[in-house]
Amino acid sequence: MKGHTDTLKVGSNEMELVDFRIFKREDGEIYEGIYGINVAKVREIIRLPMLTELPGTPKFIEGIFDLRGVVIPIINLAKWMGIDEPEEMTKNARVIITEFNNMLIGFVVHEAKRIRRINWKDIEPASFVDGGLDGSKVTGMTRIEDDTVLLILDLESVVQELGLYQPSNTRVDANRDKFTGLVLLLDDSSTARRIIKEALMQMGFTVIEASDGEKGFQILEELYEAHGADLSSKLRLIASDIEMPRMDGFHFAAKVKEDPRFKMIPIIFNSSISDHFSASRGKEAGAEAYLVKFDGSIFFDEVARVVQAHML
């Protein structure tokens, strides 16, 4: 799986998705749900192993198992979404072993189909979602063959909802130096933006938010109209996620670094993707640092280091 992400060129604005299926029974009929997860977060796909149940946990936590010396929790996505699973579809279930936020977690799905390469500009944000599936649990959608819709689930929100992952050290040390100036923050997750914005404001920055690379670049151009050549002294930092609809962080960073108006503004990536290929791609795109969400002490240290170096 990891080899696929390394074939993508920095700035190509493309991603690779594992296409998986979850079936549901409704009014006696079986319907197929089509979903995707970034290959960069997938360690491997296995058959459903023998699990050890955990008493007192929600019903969608199937249990835990030992994968080569690492104990991994297993979450049943159909149960988490409140779907009535057809029994015949569970017999060949697969587990997608994921790695993000420096954690290994398995997700039970009914079928893993294929890997798809998709341009981020063809992925729409999740604001269209209403009804049964909470829109906050979907980061985006794209259309595939026969005009079928593929939904990209926000697996990080699942994990955070279960309490398996909580941001650490989110309060800045009172003895730290305070900064002034602007920071442009890009992230399609409103939850992530809130956490990171609060951290940056504690450091003294004024934060401007954008939900994807396209909006982020538009804001840069507006800031340049307002400040001209002085922008690099006003805008201290760009903090960007990687996975964003329309324009991802890598493509955004490459575009910024190619533009003489903005190339001197430092960029830090702050992403849930914790594989070394993405970290290397981040540096290739021109970022000064690549951080995995969200350890506050590391974030504060790296922001201070990058901003201070830029001010010299």
Side-chain angles (χ1 to χ4, degrees):
M1 284 293 174
K2 298 300 181 187
H4 283 277
T5 61
D6 204 27
T7 65
L8 295 174
K9 294 181 179 179
V10 171
S12 66
N13 205 35
E14 291 180 320
M15 71 178 303
E16 289 183 322
L17 286 171
V18 174
D19 172 336
F20 64 89
R21 308 299 166 94
I22 296 176
F23 296 89
K24 69 175 179 178
R25 188 186 304 278
E26 191 173 291
D27 298 327
E29 299 289 334
I30 294 177
Y31 298 92
E32 179 183 54
I34 305 174
Y35 302 94
I37 178 175
N38 194 332
V39 167
K41 295 180 179 176
V42 177
R43 173 74 70 88
E44 58 188 290
I45 300 174
I46 62 174
R47 292 184 179 275
L48 184 63
M50 293 291 294
L51 301 176
T52 301
E53 292 186 8
L54 294 175
T57 57
K59 64 180 181 179
F60 42 78
I61 299 182
E62 296 282 3
I64 58 175
F65 84 108
D66 187 299
L67 178 66
R68 296 184 290 276
V70 180
V71 176
I72 299 176
I74 302 298
I75 297 171
N76 186 310
L77 282 177
K79 290 181 179 178
W80 171 71
M81 291 188 288
I83 288 175
D84 180 14
E85 294 182 278
E87 185 176 348
E88 60 269 32
M89 295 299 178
T90 65
K91 296 177 180 178
N92 295 314
R94 295 291 187 269
V95 177
I96 301 177
I97 305 296
T98 65
E99 180 180 8
F100 56 88
N101 297 118
N102 288 320
M103 298 183 299
L104 289 176
I105 299 172
F107 293 93
V108 179
V109 302
H110 295 146
E111 189 176 351
K113 294 288 285 186
R114 55 176 287 192
I115 293 175
R116 296 179 179 273
R117 181 169 291 191
I118 296 174
N119 197 297
W120 278 105
K121 69 179 178 58
D122 296 324
I123 297 176
E124 293 298 319
S127 56
F128 73 97
V129 180
D130 58 11
L133 182 57
D134 184 353
S136 67
K137 304 303 186 296
V138 177
T139 59
M141 60 83 72
T142 188
R143 296 190 182 277
I144 55 177
E145 55 271 8
D146 300 324
D147 211 29
T148 307
V149 173
L150 179 149
L151 299 177
I152 303 173
L153 289 182
D154 184 4
L155 299 183
E156 289 95 322
S157 73
V158 182
V159 174
Q160 194 164 359
E161 181 182 298
L162 295 175
L164 298 176
Y165 165 73
Q166 293 294 335
S168 63
N169 304 317
T170 57
R171 303 301 300 178
V172 66
D173 188 333
N175 294 321
R176 282 183 178 271
D177 292 336
K178 293 290 186 178
F179 294 89
T180 60
L182 305 174
V183 172
L184 175 58
L185 170 60
L186 282 70
D187 203 303
D188 64 329
S189 166
S190 58
T191 300
R193 287 201 309 272
R194 176 181 54 79
I195 294 170
I196 299 166
K197 180 179 180 179
E198 181 180 327
L200 290 165
M201 289 176 66
Q202 288 181 58
M203 299 181 75
F205 296 110
T206 299
V207 181
I208 303 172
E209 300 177 59
S211 58
D212 60 58
E214 276 193 3
K215 291 181 180 177
F217 204 84
Q218 290 172 6
I219 290 173
L220 279 179
E221 292 185 318
E222 291 169 3
L223 288 172
Y224 189 83
E225 288 183 10
H227 300 288
D230 290 334
L231 177 59
S232 61
S233 65
K234 304 288 186 182
L235 184 58
R236 302 296 189 189
L237 180 73
I238 298 171
S240 178
D241 189 18
I242 299 298
E243 300 175 281
M244 297 179 291
R246 298 194 180 102
M247 184 188 295
D248 74 344
F250 292 137
H251 186 57
F252 168 79
K255 190 172 180 180
V256 168
K257 293 302 181 181
E258 289 171 358
D259 194 312
R261 298 173 298 172
F262 311 129
K263 66 180 182 180
M264 298 305 295
I265 301 169
I267 298 174
I268 286 180
F269 284 127
N270 194 44
S271 173
S272 61
I273 302 175
S274 49
D275 69 309
H276 71 275
F277 290 119
S278 296
S280 298
R281 293 179 70 204
K283 292 180 180 178
E284 187 180 343
E288 277 69 20
Y290 185 100
L291 308 178
V292 177
K293 296 176 180 176
F294 181 78
D295 185 316
S297 60
I298 294 175
F299 181 81
F300 295 137
D301 287 344
E302 284 298 286
V303 168
R305 179 187 66 81
V306 170
V307 172
Q308 287 169 348
H310 176 62
M311 293 170 63
L312 293 177

PDB file of all heavy atoms in Angstrom, residues 217-231 261-262:
ATOM      1  N   PHE A 217      -5.391  29.999  -1.383  1.00  0.00           N
ATOM      2  CA  PHE A 217      -4.651  30.805  -2.354  1.00  0.00           C
ATOM      3  C   PHE A 217      -5.391  32.100  -2.678  1.00  0.00           C
ATOM      4  O   PHE A 217      -4.774  33.146  -2.876  1.00  0.00           O
ATOM      5  CB  PHE A 217      -4.382  29.995  -3.628  1.00  0.00           C
ATOM      6  CG  PHE A 217      -3.197  30.505  -4.397  1.00  0.00           C
ATOM      7  CD1 PHE A 217      -1.915  30.117  -4.059  1.00  0.00           C
ATOM      8  CD2 PHE A 217      -3.362  31.396  -5.449  1.00  0.00           C
ATOM      9  CE1 PHE A 217      -0.806  30.605  -4.755  1.00  0.00           C
ATOM     10  CE2 PHE A 217      -2.271  31.886  -6.144  1.00  0.00           C
ATOM     11  CZ  PHE A 217      -0.987  31.486  -5.795  1.00  0.00           C
ATOM     12  N   GLN A 218      -6.725  32.025  -2.707  1.00  0.00           N
ATOM     13  CA  GLN A 218      -7.508  33.251  -2.911  1.00  0.00           C
ATOM     14  C   GLN A 218      -7.249  34.250  -1.788  1.00  0.00           C
ATOM     15  O   GLN A 218      -7.106  35.459  -2.027  1.00  0.00           O
ATOM     16  CB  GLN A 218      -8.999  32.909  -2.974  1.00  0.00           C
ATOM     17  CG  GLN A 218      -9.418  32.158  -4.231  1.00  0.00           C
ATOM     18  CD  GLN A 218     -10.846  31.666  -4.165  1.00  0.00           C
ATOM     19  OE1 GLN A 218     -11.583  31.977  -3.222  1.00  0.00           O
ATOM     20  NE2 GLN A 218     -11.254  30.885  -5.146  1.00  0.00           N
ATOM     21  N   ILE A 219      -7.164  33.753  -0.556  1.00  0.00           N
ATOM     22  CA  ILE A 219      -6.895  34.631   0.584  1.00  0.00           C
ATOM     23  C   ILE A 219      -5.506  35.241   0.464  1.00  0.00           C
ATOM     24  O   ILE A 219      -5.310  36.435   0.753  1.00  0.00           O
ATOM     25  CB  ILE A 219      -7.041  33.848   1.906  1.00  0.00           C
ATOM     26  CG1 ILE A 219      -8.514  33.520   2.145  1.00  0.00           C
ATOM     27  CG2 ILE A 219      -6.473  34.647   3.087  1.00  0.00           C
ATOM     28  CD1 ILE A 219      -8.765  32.599   3.320  1.00  0.00           C
ATOM     29  N   LEU A 220      -4.526  34.459   0.021  1.00  0.00           N
ATOM     30  CA  LEU A 220      -3.175  34.995  -0.182  1.00  0.00           C
ATOM     31  C   LEU A 220      -3.193  36.161  -1.173  1.00  0.00           C
ATOM     32  O   LEU A 220      -2.541  37.189  -0.946  1.00  0.00           O
ATOM     33  CB  LEU A 220      -2.243  33.898  -0.689  1.00  0.00           C
ATOM     34  CG  LEU A 220      -1.662  32.935   0.346  1.00  0.00           C
ATOM     35  CD1 LEU A 220      -0.775  31.899  -0.351  1.00  0.00           C
ATOM     36  CD2 LEU A 220      -0.861  33.676   1.401  1.00  0.00           C
ATOM     37  N   GLU A 221      -3.917  35.989  -2.260  1.00  0.00           N
ATOM     38  CA  GLU A 221      -3.981  37.059  -3.260  1.00  0.00           C
ATOM     39  C   GLU A 221      -4.672  38.306  -2.691  1.00  0.00           C
ATOM     40  O   GLU A 221      -4.260  39.434  -2.982  1.00  0.00           O
ATOM     41  CB  GLU A 221      -4.696  36.548  -4.506  1.00  0.00           C
ATOM     42  CG  GLU A 221      -3.879  35.480  -5.246  1.00  0.00           C
ATOM     43  CD  GLU A 221      -4.520  35.052  -6.547  1.00  0.00           C
ATOM     44  OE1 GLU A 221      -5.749  34.882  -6.556  1.00  0.00           O
ATOM     45  OE2 GLU A 221      -3.789  34.884  -7.542  1.00  0.00           O
ATOM     46  N   GLU A 222      -5.710  38.104  -1.877  1.00  0.00           N
ATOM     47  CA  GLU A 222      -6.378  39.248  -1.243  1.00  0.00           C
ATOM     48  C   GLU A 222      -5.439  39.954  -0.260  1.00  0.00           C
ATOM     49  O   GLU A 222      -5.428  41.192  -0.177  1.00  0.00           O
ATOM     50  CB  GLU A 222      -7.644  38.768  -0.522  1.00  0.00           C
ATOM     51  CG  GLU A 222      -8.740  38.295  -1.473  1.00  0.00           C
ATOM     52  CD  GLU A 222      -9.861  37.575  -0.750  1.00  0.00           C
ATOM     53  OE1 GLU A 222      -9.806  37.486   0.504  1.00  0.00           O
ATOM     54  OE2 GLU A 222     -10.792  37.085  -1.425  1.00  0.00           O
ATOM     55  N   LEU A 223      -4.668  39.159   0.474  1.00  0.00           N
ATOM     56  CA  LEU A 223      -3.713  39.741   1.409  1.00  0.00           C
ATOM     57  C   LEU A 223      -2.629  40.524   0.669  1.00  0.00           C
ATOM     58  O   LEU A 223      -2.185  41.581   1.133  1.00  0.00           O
ATOM     59  CB  LEU A 223      -3.078  38.650   2.278  1.00  0.00           C
ATOM     60  CG  LEU A 223      -3.986  38.021   3.339  1.00  0.00           C
ATOM     61  CD1 LEU A 223      -3.289  36.826   3.992  1.00  0.00           C
ATOM     62  CD2 LEU A 223      -4.359  39.059   4.409  1.00  0.00           C
ATOM     63  N   TYR A 224      -2.228  40.034  -0.496  1.00  0.00           N
ATOM     64  CA  TYR A 224      -1.204  40.739  -1.272  1.00  0.00           C
ATOM     65  C   TYR A 224      -1.752  42.063  -1.784  1.00  0.00           C
ATOM     66  O   TYR A 224      -1.034  43.074  -1.821  1.00  0.00           O
ATOM     67  CB  TYR A 224      -0.706  39.875  -2.431  1.00  0.00           C
ATOM     68  CG  TYR A 224       0.501  40.474  -3.111  1.00  0.00           C
ATOM     69  CD1 TYR A 224       1.779  40.283  -2.598  1.00  0.00           C
ATOM     70  CD2 TYR A 224       0.365  41.245  -4.270  1.00  0.00           C
ATOM     71  CE1 TYR A 224       2.893  40.851  -3.205  1.00  0.00           C
ATOM     72  CE2 TYR A 224       1.463  41.815  -4.883  1.00  0.00           C
ATOM     73  CZ  TYR A 224       2.727  41.606  -4.346  1.00  0.00           C
ATOM     74  OH  TYR A 224       3.822  42.178  -4.944  1.00  0.00           O
ATOM     75  N   GLU A 225      -3.018  42.069  -2.180  1.00  0.00           N
ATOM     76  CA  GLU A 225      -3.626  43.326  -2.619  1.00  0.00           C
ATOM     77  C   GLU A 225      -3.644  44.346  -1.488  1.00  0.00           C
ATOM     78  O   GLU A 225      -3.476  45.552  -1.720  1.00  0.00           O
ATOM     79  CB  GLU A 225      -5.060  43.063  -3.107  1.00  0.00           C
ATOM     80  CG  GLU A 225      -5.133  42.339  -4.449  1.00  0.00           C
ATOM     81  CD  GLU A 225      -6.570  42.180  -4.924  1.00  0.00           C
ATOM     82  OE1 GLU A 225      -7.467  42.804  -4.298  1.00  0.00           O
ATOM     83  OE2 GLU A 225      -6.801  41.441  -5.893  1.00  0.00           O
ATOM     84  N   ALA A 226      -3.822  43.865  -0.261  1.00  0.00           N
ATOM     85  CA  ALA A 226      -3.897  44.766   0.886  1.00  0.00           C
ATOM     86  C   ALA A 226      -2.526  45.226   1.367  1.00  0.00           C
ATOM     87  O   ALA A 226      -2.364  46.371   1.788  1.00  0.00           O
ATOM     88  CB  ALA A 226      -4.635  44.089   2.038  1.00  0.00           C
ATOM     89  N   HIS A 227      -1.509  44.339   1.293  1.00  0.00           N
ATOM     90  CA  HIS A 227      -0.213  44.639   1.903  1.00  0.00           C
ATOM     91  C   HIS A 227       0.941  44.751   0.899  1.00  0.00           C
ATOM     92  O   HIS A 227       2.015  45.236   1.267  1.00  0.00           O
ATOM     93  CB  HIS A 227       0.139  43.575   2.950  1.00  0.00           C
ATOM     94  CG  HIS A 227      -0.848  43.480   4.062  1.00  0.00           C
ATOM     95  ND1 HIS A 227      -0.967  44.437   5.047  1.00  0.00           N
ATOM     96  CD2 HIS A 227      -1.786  42.529   4.346  1.00  0.00           C
ATOM     97  CE1 HIS A 227      -1.919  44.076   5.894  1.00  0.00           C
ATOM     98  NE2 HIS A 227      -2.435  42.938   5.495  1.00  0.00           N
ATOM     99  N   GLY A 228       0.720  44.274  -0.330  1.00  0.00           N
ATOM    100  CA  GLY A 228       1.771  44.361  -1.333  1.00  0.00           C
ATOM    101  C   GLY A 228       3.036  43.622  -0.919  1.00  0.00           C
ATOM    102  O   GLY A 228       2.980  42.547  -0.311  1.00  0.00           O
ATOM    103  N   ALA A 229       4.193  44.226  -1.211  1.00  0.00           N
ATOM    104  CA  ALA A 229       5.475  43.587  -0.931  1.00  0.00           C
ATOM    105  C   ALA A 229       5.741  43.414   0.554  1.00  0.00           C
ATOM    106  O   ALA A 229       6.649  42.660   0.947  1.00  0.00           O
ATOM    107  CB  ALA A 229       6.607  44.385  -1.573  1.00  0.00           C
ATOM    108  N   ASP A 230       4.965  44.083   1.410  1.00  0.00           N
ATOM    109  CA  ASP A 230       5.136  43.938   2.865  1.00  0.00           C
ATOM    110  C   ASP A 230       4.467  42.678   3.411  1.00  0.00           C
ATOM    111  O   ASP A 230       4.555  42.410   4.618  1.00  0.00           O
ATOM    112  CB  ASP A 230       4.537  45.152   3.588  1.00  0.00           C
ATOM    113  CG  ASP A 230       5.346  46.421   3.352  1.00  0.00           C
ATOM    114  OD1 ASP A 230       6.552  46.297   3.079  1.00  0.00           O
ATOM    115  OD2 ASP A 230       4.758  47.517   3.440  1.00  0.00           O
ATOM    116  N   LEU A 231       3.819  41.900   2.555  1.00  0.00           N
ATOM    117  CA  LEU A 231       3.050  40.762   3.034  1.00  0.00           C
ATOM    118  C   LEU A 231       3.908  39.772   3.825  1.00  0.00           C
ATOM    119  O   LEU A 231       3.476  39.268   4.865  1.00  0.00           O
ATOM    120  CB  LEU A 231       2.376  40.030   1.858  1.00  0.00           C
ATOM    121  CG  LEU A 231       1.592  38.766   2.236  1.00  0.00           C
ATOM    122  CD1 LEU A 231       0.484  39.108   3.234  1.00  0.00           C
ATOM    123  CD2 LEU A 231       1.002  38.106   0.989  1.00  0.00           C
ATOM    124  N   ARG A 261       5.537  36.256  -5.275  1.00  0.00           N
ATOM    125  CA  ARG A 261       4.895  37.086  -4.256  1.00  0.00           C
ATOM    126  C   ARG A 261       4.852  36.390  -2.903  1.00  0.00           C
ATOM    127  O   ARG A 261       4.827  37.048  -1.858  1.00  0.00           O
ATOM    128  CB  ARG A 261       3.461  37.429  -4.681  1.00  0.00           C
ATOM    129  CG  ARG A 261       3.345  38.245  -5.958  1.00  0.00           C
ATOM    130  CD  ARG A 261       1.871  38.372  -6.359  1.00  0.00           C
ATOM    131  NE  ARG A 261       1.276  37.074  -6.646  1.00  0.00           N
ATOM    132  CZ  ARG A 261      -0.025  36.881  -6.866  1.00  0.00           C
ATOM    133  NH1 ARG A 261      -0.871  37.916  -6.809  1.00  0.00           N
ATOM    134  NH2 ARG A 261      -0.486  35.668  -7.122  1.00  0.00           N
ATOM    135  N   PHE A 262       4.816  35.061  -2.910  1.00  0.00           N
ATOM    136  CA  PHE A 262       4.544  34.317  -1.680  1.00  0.00           C
ATOM    137  C   PHE A 262       5.647  33.335  -1.269  1.00  0.00           C
ATOM    138  O   PHE A 262       5.577  32.766  -0.180  1.00  0.00           O
ATOM    139  CB  PHE A 262       3.224  33.527  -1.827  1.00  0.00           C
ATOM    140  CG  PHE A 262       2.071  34.321  -2.353  1.00  0.00           C
ATOM    141  CD1 PHE A 262       1.316  33.856  -3.424  1.00  0.00           C
ATOM    142  CD2 PHE A 262       1.733  35.545  -1.789  1.00  0.00           C
ATOM    143  CE1 PHE A 262       0.246  34.577  -3.918  1.00  0.00           C
ATOM    144  CE2 PHE A 262       0.661  36.285  -2.275  1.00  0.00           C
ATOM    145  CZ  PHE A 262      -0.091  35.805  -3.345  1.00  0.00           C
TER     146      PHE A 262
END
